[in-house]
Amino acid sequence: GAVVSQHPSWVICKSGTSVKIECRSLDFQATTMFWYRQFPKQSLMLMATSNEGSKATYEQGVEKDKFLINHASLTLSTLTVTSAHPEDSSFYICSARDQGNTEAFFGQGTRLTVV
Amino acid sequence: GENVEQHPSTLSVQEGDSAVIKCTYSDSASNYFPWYKQELGKRPQLIIDIRSNVGEKKDQRIAVTLNKTAKHFSLHITETQPEDSAVYFCAASMGSARQLTFGSGTQLTVLP
């Protein structure tokens, strides 16, 4: 299957700083990527849909100015958590779908810990 | 939007027994229903999926059934093994360009 790579796998940052997470589709072009957040023992909740060359679509309750998404190319989307706080600590996972392929491919996730 | 409910939240079975996890969805336009297995700290892994034009699909010890009229689908694992222990999520989506809506997850424990 297609490969989606996410970086970094884990990151620890101080409160008030910003963290950037990258999501790359390695062997296919993804016009759309999705960003999910997963708190411990909970499900994956969609944060936003990242569209190549246009603004991201955010789910209700997700602050677009706090979670900045950039999808500048067909193989890369980035999520920047700005002014991070301890409550932003979570597992962030991206996914992408190859055109014409219903299956979604997930990145390996990023464990963010804000101290 | 779509809402997916999943039951049970936890399930313990003896090795060799069968496990069944059930999900319901709300949007009749959903046409793709994958099941994922997620181990702690890892990405979800697709184990089986079904499209709305099919009622049942089987892959070795794993099967999924779909009832479009009732808007529910189920995961069946037979001859369970300890390595089947994980969290399982169902999901639903409309078309290949749309996001997945996940169920709340089921922690499956297979007791040796």
Side-chain angles (χ1 to χ4, degrees):
Chain A
V3 178
V4 175
S5 179
Q6 192 173 335
H7 179 82
S9 300
W10 60 270
V11 58
I12 301 173
C13 71
K14 293 184 177 181
S15 287
T17 61
S18 295
V19 173
K20 180 185 284 188
I21 302 170
E22 294 186 348
C23 180
R24 294 180 185 273
S25 55
L26 298 187
D27 51 1
F28 67 99
Q29 294 182 333
T31 55
T32 304
M33 291 185 176
F34 305 98
W35 287 96
Y36 295 86
R37 180 168 53 184
Q38 186 177 32
F39 291 109
K41 297 188 178 182
Q42 293 189 23
S43 186
L44 286 81
M45 299 300 294
L46 180 69
M47 298 176 66
T49 301
S50 172
N51 304 297
E52 187 269 335
S54 65
K55 292 182 178 180
T57 303
Y58 290 81
E59 295 300 298
Q60 191 173 8
V62 178
E63 299 176 58
K64 63 179 181 180
D65 294 330
K66 180 172 180 62
F67 298 99
L68 301 179
I69 291 173
N70 184 280
H71 194 155
S73 78
L74 288 171
T75 60
L76 174 64
S77 176
T78 61
L79 168 68
T80 301
V81 183
T82 63
S83 186
H85 290 108
E87 55 264 33
D88 298 324
S89 298
S90 187
F91 193 52
Y92 293 85
I93 311 177
C94 67
S95 79
R97 279 162 136 164
D98 194 358
Q99 284 187 346
N101 190 338
T102 310
E103 180 179 352
F105 300 97
F106 287 87
Q108 57 266 56
T110 297
R111 171 72 59 193
L112 171 63
T113 302
V114 184
V115 298
Chain B
E2 176 67 281
N3 181 50
V4 178
E5 294 190 355
Q6 182 172 345
H7 300 280
S9 57
T10 61
L11 179 60
S12 292
V13 298
Q14 289 294 137
E15 183 177 0
D17 288 350
S18 296
V20 180
I21 303 171
K22 299 182 179 182
C23 288
T24 60
Y25 61 99
S26 61
D27 196 329
S28 57
S30 290
N31 58 10
Y32 176 65
F33 307 93
W35 285 89
Y36 292 91
K37 175 183 180 182
Q38 188 182 30
E39 297 178 344
L40 191 63
K42 300 289 182 65
R43 77 184 88 190
Q45 290 188 310
L46 179 70
I47 57 172
I48 195 166
D49 58 11
I50 191 167
R51 290 164 177 76
S52 59
N53 59 345
V54 177
E56 184 175 357
K57 183 177 179 181
K58 187 174 182 180
D59 183 4
Q60 299 183 337
R61 298 187 296 110
I62 297 173
V64 57
T65 59
L66 171 66
N67 184 325
K68 286 172 53 179
T69 304
K71 289 189 282 189
H72 66 70
F73 55 113
S74 300
L75 177 71
H76 304 254
I77 306 175
T78 59
E79 301 172 28
T80 54
Q81 301 166 2
E83 50 265 38
D84 293 329
S85 296
V87 179
Y88 290 80
F89 291 99
C90 63
S93 77
M94 293 175 278
S96 61
R98 302 297 295 273
Q99 71 272 16
L100 292 166
T101 301
F102 286 85
S104 53
T106 297
Q107 173 69 61
L108 173 65
T109 303
V110 180
L111 305 169

